[in-house]
């Protein structure tokens, strides 16, 4: 039997820098957000093998796309190799090109902004609203007012539904409409969340989903572009399949990409999607449990839930005020790590990343404060209540009280 060599275990890591977590942790390590795979997924993958649809297209891809569109309350979906690929295509469809500006929040994963640079455009970062931690609509509106006067509006806005909480689309959709700027919803962390009685993914011109290993549902790696614009989705599929013209031979008139999700992985995604409601329920229950265990402590504040939103609580996140709690966020994180429990700071704001040094940033104090004091706790849908209690006990022990 052939066996591959040992692989550094990091099933829950969002984006662990190389070299981190290489120690062979025992199996009881508590991860931030590990994959949670059931029997249905195994059966569907077996079906894909048995039918020999081991190709980048096939019946599971078609069905997964229909099911995703239905779940997001939109007309159509294109299943893709990653959320990053979906963002790249969304920006292409919005006509973003070299020299353009694209607005996005600073407090997000780097994958939100990387595709802006693939197109030779420039990211313009905006701070978070302290009441939702998502893109601040007031700053967005002021920025648009100023830019409109100079005839310098951005080509697109990417909002981020952070840790499962939707941005304030009540405000942001109308601002973008008023100035006729394309809006792309990065809902990679928010599948299953609701805002303004609409599902995450349904806002703006199109929504972006991710099925990376740490997300609420996973295909090990994958993503999707969802939209009411069926022509846009058809074009996304075309671009994602090497932009092959309809002809019996291989004919190409445009630059294309190899961005399609395989039929095998779509089978996994279908099984995962069936359980989405339960996963949201479980993650919200994890959050409630943390609130009852830690919420009363001085200096501990959980990510607020906007009144317009029902978050999927992909990750439970909070801030630690060291003066009030008697310990810093980093002391809490290291103590958890000592007990083989993975927790992480919030996303490092993109305007502080060496990669984006010198790019424009509007505001910044909110995102910087959240990065200084913020922590993501283990939040997976397979956490046991004993594990939750263990995290809470260790956390409590670090404080002054
Ligand atoms: C995970 C994530 C992405 C990227 O998705 P991939 O499928 O990993 O490419 C994009 N944006 C945000 C906010 C994410 O959390």
């Amino acid at each position: 039997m052939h066996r591959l060599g040992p692989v550094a275990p990091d099933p829950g890591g969002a984006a662990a820098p190389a070299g981190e977590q290489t120690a062979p942790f025992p199996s009881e390590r508590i991860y931030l957000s590990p994959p949670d795979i059931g029997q249905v997924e195994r059966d569907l993958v077996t079906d894909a093998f048995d039918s020999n649809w081991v190709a980048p297209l096939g019946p599971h891809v078609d069905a997964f796309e229909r099911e995703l569109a239905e779940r997001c309350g939109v007309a159509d979906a294109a299943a893709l190799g990653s959320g990053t690929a979906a963002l790249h295509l969304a920006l292409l469809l919005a006509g973003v090109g070299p020299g353009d500006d694209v607005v996005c929040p600073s407090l997000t994963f780097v994958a939100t902004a990387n595709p802006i640079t693939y197109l030779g455009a420039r990211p313009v970062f905006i701070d978070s609203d302290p009441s939702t931690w998502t893109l601040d609509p007031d700053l967005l509106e002021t920025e648009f007012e100023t830019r409109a006067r100079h005839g310098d509006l951005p080509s697109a806005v990417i909002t981020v539904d952070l840790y499962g909480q939707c941005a304030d689309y009540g405000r942001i959709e109308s601002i973008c409409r008023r100035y006729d700027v394309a809006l792309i919803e990065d809902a990679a962390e928010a599948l299953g969340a609701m805002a303004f009685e609409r599902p995450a993914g349904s806002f703006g011109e199109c929504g972006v989903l991710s099925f990376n290993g740490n997300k609420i549902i996973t295909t090990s790696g994958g993503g999707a572009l969802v939209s009411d614009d069926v022509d846009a989705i058809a074009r996304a599929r075309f671009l994602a399949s090497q932009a092959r013209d309809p002809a019996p031979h291989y004919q190409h008139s445009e630059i294309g990409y190899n961005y399609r999700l395989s039929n095998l992985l779509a089978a996994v995604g279908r099984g995962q999607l069936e359980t989405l409601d339960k996963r949201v329920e479980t993650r919200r229950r994890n959050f409630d449990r943390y609130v009852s265990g830690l919420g009363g402590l001085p200096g501990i504040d959980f990510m607020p839930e906007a009144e317009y939103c029902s978050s999927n609580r992909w990750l439970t996140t909070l801030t630690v005020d060291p003066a009030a709690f008697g310990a810093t966020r980093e002391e809490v994180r290291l103590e958890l790590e000592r007990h083989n429990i993975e927790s992480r700071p919030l996303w490092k704001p993109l305007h502080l990343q060496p990669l984006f040094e010198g790019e424009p940033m509007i505001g910044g104090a909110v995102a910087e404060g959240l990065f200084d004091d913020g922590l993501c706790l283990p939040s997976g849908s397979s956490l046991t209540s004993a594990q939750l209690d263990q995290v809470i006990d260790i956390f409590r022990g670090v404080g002054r009280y």
Side-chain angles (χ1 to χ4, degrees):
M1 192 174 78
H2 293 278
R3 288 213 51 186
L4 297 172
V7 177
D10 185 22
E20 217 180 87
Q21 291 191 7
T22 47
F25 289 112
S27 57
E28 70 270 20
R29 177 165 171 80
I30 300 177
Y31 287 102
L32 200 65
S33 182
D36 178 7
I37 306 284
Q39 190 56 42
V40 181
E41 289 86 324
R42 287 169 224 270
D43 294 344
L44 286 164
V45 171
T46 304
D47 171 81
F49 273 121
D50 291 348
S51 60
N52 207 31
W53 280 105
V54 185
L57 296 173
H60 286 298
V61 173
D62 300 340
F64 190 39
E65 289 179 340
R66 279 195 305 275
E67 290 157 8
L68 282 171
E70 191 186 334
R71 179 71 213 203
C72 293
V74 294
D76 207 357
L80 301 167
S82 69
T84 308
L87 279 161
H88 186 191
L89 294 180
L91 291 166
L92 269 169
L93 293 172
V96 171
D100 289 353
D101 280 350
V102 175
V103 166
C104 72
S106 179
L107 186 61
T108 182
F109 183 43
V110 71
T112 302
N114 272 340
I116 299 170
T117 65
Y118 300 170
L119 292 163
R122 179 177 75 155
V124 174
F125 300 117
I126 291 192
D127 205 357
S128 296
D129 180 328
S131 69
T132 67
W133 300 12
T134 62
L135 183 83
D136 185 326
D138 290 328
L139 291 179
L140 181 73
E141 188 161 35
T142 310
E143 176 68 7
F144 273 22
E145 278 164 17
T146 312
R147 282 173 170 260
R149 278 200 294 277
H150 302 109
D152 183 28
L153 283 166
S155 305
V157 173
I158 305 174
T159 49
V160 175
D161 300 339
L162 194 73
Y163 300 121
Q165 166 138 283
C166 292
D168 183 356
Y169 295 107
R171 297 277 313 282
I172 295 170
E173 272 196 334
S174 74
I175 296 167
C176 287
R177 232 178 261 133
R178 194 180 335 139
Y179 289 94
D180 196 24
V181 173
L183 173 60
I184 296 162
E185 179 190 5
D186 181 349
E189 302 174 1
L191 182 60
M194 296 287 293
F196 303 99
E197 281 156 34
R198 281 161 59 188
S202 68
F203 298 92
E205 267 69 51
C206 57
V208 166
L209 307 176
S210 167
F211 315 120
N212 192 25
N214 60 340
K215 297 291 172 17
I216 192 159
I217 70 167
T218 184
T219 58
S220 76
L225 191 66
V226 298
S227 178
D228 263 332
D229 184 344
V230 291
D231 295 335
I233 296 299
R235 180 149 173 83
R237 280 196 201 98
F238 166 76
L239 292 171
S241 334
Q242 306 287 17
R244 187 178 169 191
D245 296 336
H249 52 275
Y250 285 93
Q251 166 98 6
H252 305 273
S253 315
E254 286 183 73
I255 294 173
Y257 305 86
N258 182 4
Y259 277 176
R260 292 289 268 159
L261 186 72
S262 84
N263 194 56
L264 276 183
L265 297 186
V268 179
R270 293 185 68 199
Q272 292 265 293
L273 192 59
E274 271 186 29
T275 61
L276 177 61
D277 285 333
K278 255 212 232 107
R279 286 159 186 267
V280 173
E281 230 175 81
T282 307
R283 291 198 185 233
R284 287 186 64 87
R285 210 181 318 123
N286 289 344
F287 174 83
D288 291 342
R289 185 106 177 207
Y290 281 127
V291 169
S292 54
L294 303 169
L297 298 176
I300 300 302
D301 287 298
F302 286 84
M303 180 181 189
E305 187 164 40
E307 99 291 330
Y308 59 75
C309 185
S310 176
S311 170
N312 71 4
R313 293 291 183 193
W314 170 54
L315 296 184
T316 288
T317 57
L318 49 72
T319 54
V320 180
D321 174 355
F325 184 61
T328 62
R329 179 282 312 280
E330 202 49 16
E331 285 168 324
V332 175
R333 189 185 74 77
L334 290 170
E335 185 61 12
L336 289 170
E337 187 58 45
R338 233 172 46 78
H339 290 83
N340 209 6
I341 296 167
E342 182 186 30
S343 65
R344 278 177 195 262
L346 304 194
W347 299 125
K348 179 173 180 177
L350 298 183
H351 72 281
L352 301 180
Q353 298 285 358
L355 172 64
F356 294 119
E357 207 181 319
E359 302 296 20
M361 173 69 198
I362 294 137
V366 176
E368 286 167 24
L370 289 170
F371 176 60
D372 286 343
D373 294 337
L375 189 67
C376 305
L377 294 178
S379 304
S381 43
S382 50
L383 275 176
T384 65
S385 46
Q387 288 175 321
L388 283 162
D389 286 343
Q390 196 194 345
V391 176
I392 289 167
D393 285 348
I394 294 162
F395 194 122
R396 292 186 71 95
V398 186
R400 183 189 298 150
Y401 301 94

